[in-house]
Every structure is written in structure tokens, then in C-alpha cells.
Amino acid sequence: MLTILAAGSVFFPGLFLLSKQCLKSIPALRWSEGDAVIVSARLVSSVQAVMASSAGYIIASSCKDIIEDQHWLTSTYIMFAVPYFVYDIYAMFMCYWYKLRVKGHEEALAAPQHMRSAVRSYLRREFLMVLHHVVMVTVCFPVSVFWRQGKGDYFQGIMFMAELSTPSVCLGKILIQYKQQHTLLHKVNGALMLVTFFIFRVLLFPYLYYVYGRYASIPFHMVPLTVPWHCNVGAALLMAPQLYWFSLICRGALRLFTGASRSQRPRAPSADAKDHPADGNALPQPANGYSARSTEPELTTH
């Protein structure tokens, strides 16, 4: 167990550092530190998503009995992926930090007190995402590895497949970062993100309830009354942020697909304070990509 945790603790930060160094040093790229950090964080998230989704598919497709069947990959990947959520809190902060620097705060942010201020601001703006990661480590990890006692690997595999929406989310954030909201790639990726997020995150728990209803030969509407209460509470707590983020994605998609003509009109230099890098009051886009206040026709992303 400790060996697998150690492997995850090395793999994800190591991949981040390797990616950042390559983006900065490859002659054809020579990206700045900030750009390399932000893109590398998206890359690591996408790699983790592909690995989790692949593991989930293998597990779910191998379990004929959704309660009793076990697969060695279930607990193994959980332990391997736990360090990712710890690393990702740091990576999201680094993205937030470099976005602040782009806004013209390089000298002010050099002081230690401003670093503490940036941490507090980051935790306020990204509270839900940070809380989600903390819960994954402190609650979901022990529940999945110890409390389940080897039962329900099929359900765990299906939950791994929720990560299928993450690569399109990360690509959307990169396209927004480089002002590519007007491109066909951004629109196609936005539609893909909307569909995958809805299927693999919003419909996830209703599907699990449906599958258990078929297994237990009970109607779908009776499943919540049949399963233990803590299962319902856990499902509700995990699904609530997904619904919130999906609502933001829908709002972003609406702006993207209905505001294309508006985005093509030239804008006055003073139309938006965030267009002025020297404005010390300008705030960066949230590190997790979601923004309920954005006025741009861009697809908000996770």
C-alpha cells in the first residue's frame, strides 16, 4: 500500500515538473514559466483522467456481480490516485498565482505577506474545488479502500469513469487562456464537454441507483428507500457540486453558442477592466476554470 502511495506521490508531481521543463526548454516552444505551469497542470489532469477512466472501464466490464465481484485494480488505483488530489490543490494555486502575476502584480506579489494574501484569496475563490479535493482524500479514500470491505467494485469502476469529461474540460481552459474562443475547435470541444459532463457526472448516480434496482429487482424509485441512509447522503454530497458545475458549463455554453456575433465586434480598449494588465484590481479567472460572473462568450470549464 505504501509503495503504491509513494508511486503516485512521485508520478503526478514528477510529470508536472517534467512537462513544465520541456515546455520551457524545447527550442520550438520556449514558453514562459507561467504558461508552462498552467498548461502542465492541465496535461497532468488529463493524464490522470485517462488513467482513471481506463481503470474504471476495465473494472466495470470485469465485474459480472455488481456487489460481490472484485478486481485488484480497484484499490490499487485508488491508492495510486490519492496523491493526485493533494498535488492538484498545489497545482491549481500555482495556476492562480501566475494569473495574478500576468495581471501586473509581479513586484507586489514578491513579498511574503502578499503570498499569504494570495493563498487566502485562492481558498476563497476556489473553496468548492479545494473542498472537493480534501473530501476525496479524507473521506472517499478511506471509505473506498477500507469501509467497503471489497464489495461494490463495479460501482467504484463506474465512478472512475466520471473522469472522461476532464480532458475536454482541460482543453477548453487552454483554449480560453490563449483567446481561442472564436475557433471551431473551441465550439466542438465545448459541445463535447457539455455532453460528457452530463453523461458521466450528472447522470452518474441516477445510473448507479438504476443498476442496483435491477440487481435487487426493485423499482428505481424505491432504491433510495432501500439502500442504507449513508449511501444516499454520500451520493447527494458528491452529486451537488457536479450539478452546480454543470449549471456553470451550461451558462458558458449558452454564451459561447449565442454570443458568437457579439464576440466578433471590435471592443473599445476601456470596455473591460480586465483587458488592462496594469489594473491592480483585476482578478484572474478562477483556477478551476468555472466563472459565474464572466461576461465573455466563452465556455466556463473545470
Side-chain angles (χ1 to χ4, degrees):
M1 176 177 176
L2 293 179
T3 302
I4 299 172
L5 285 171
S9 300
V10 171
F11 177 79
F12 295 110
L15 179 60
F16 172 77
L17 294 174
L18 177 62
S19 173
K20 184 183 71 170
Q21 188 61 36
C22 289
L23 292 174
K24 290 171 55 181
S25 60
I26 293 178
L29 297 177
R30 296 287 186 181
W31 284 10
S32 67
E33 177 79 12
D35 286 341
V37 164
I38 293 171
V39 173
S40 296
R42 314 304 187 214
L43 174 63
V44 175
S45 294
S46 297
V47 170
Q48 194 281 141
V50 171
M51 295 174 65
S53 301
S54 301
Y57 176 78
I58 294 171
I59 294 166
S61 61
S62 301
C63 295
K64 304 306 179 183
D65 188 306
I66 65 173
I67 301 296
E68 300 297 335
D69 284 358
Q70 299 181 14
H71 195 286
W72 66 269
L73 192 54
T74 307
S75 295
T76 300
Y77 189 77
I78 291 172
M79 291 185 288
F80 180 76
V82 161
Y84 164 79
F85 292 98
V86 178
Y87 142 83
D88 198 46
I89 294 175
Y90 167 78
M92 288 192 300
F93 172 73
M94 294 304 298
C95 293
Y96 181 81
W97 175 254
Y98 279 104
K99 286 177 182 178
L100 281 179
R101 293 175 67 89
V102 168
K103 294 299 180 180
H105 296 272
E106 290 90 347
E107 295 182 1
L109 290 176
Q113 63 268 27
H114 289 286
M115 171 64 82
R116 292 193 292 269
S117 177
V119 171
R120 289 194 296 268
S121 176
Y122 161 71
L123 292 176
R124 285 195 302 269
R125 291 173 65 84
E126 309 299 338
F127 174 76
L128 185 58
M129 184 61 68
V130 172
L131 178 63
H132 172 267
H133 281 39
V134 171
V135 169
M136 292 296 291
V137 175
T138 60
V139 179
C140 295
F141 167 62
V143 167
S144 299
V145 175
F146 304 110
W147 183 79
R148 288 189 310 115
Q149 298 181 341
K151 295 184 181 294
D153 279 20
Y154 173 85
F155 294 99
Q156 192 67 59
I158 294 295
M159 293 181 70
F160 284 164
M161 294 179 67
E163 293 291 338
L164 274 171
S165 63
T166 299
S168 60
V169 167
C170 293
L171 177 58
K173 286 194 285 190
I174 293 174
L175 292 173
I176 290 173
Q177 177 186 345
Y178 290 101
K179 311 296 183 185
Q180 298 299 307
Q181 297 94 317
H182 62 283
T183 62
L184 177 61
L185 175 60
H186 183 65
K187 292 177 172 61
V188 172
N189 182 72
L192 179 63
M193 180 176 66
L194 188 68
V195 172
T196 54
F197 199 99
F198 178 71
I199 293 175
F200 293 102
R201 289 183 180 263
V202 176
L203 295 183
L204 174 66
F205 288 101
Y207 172 75
L208 294 179
Y209 276 58
Y210 166 75
V211 170
Y212 181 79
R214 290 186 57 186
Y215 175 83
S217 300
I218 56 178
F220 174 77
H221 67 275
M222 293 297 295
V223 174
L225 303 177
T226 305
V227 300
W229 66 270
H230 48 265
C231 293
N232 292 322
V233 171
L237 291 176
L238 290 174
M239 189 172 181
Q242 311 303 328
L243 293 174
Y244 171 70
W245 289 325
F246 183 68
S247 71
L248 297 184
I249 290 175
C250 289
R251 292 171 62 180
L254 185 63
R255 288 193 297 271
L256 174 65
F257 293 109
T258 63
S261 60
R262 182 184 65 182
S263 66
Q264 293 171 356
R265 294 199 297 267
R267 299 174 58 192
S270 60
D272 195 331
K274 71 179 180 179
D275 289 338
H276 297 279
D279 184 357
N281 295 322
L283 289 174
Q285 181 189 12
N288 65 5
Y290 290 114
S291 176
R293 300 186 297 273
S294 174
T295 58
E296 292 296 312
E298 65 189 32
L299 188 58
T300 50
T301 55
H302 167 38

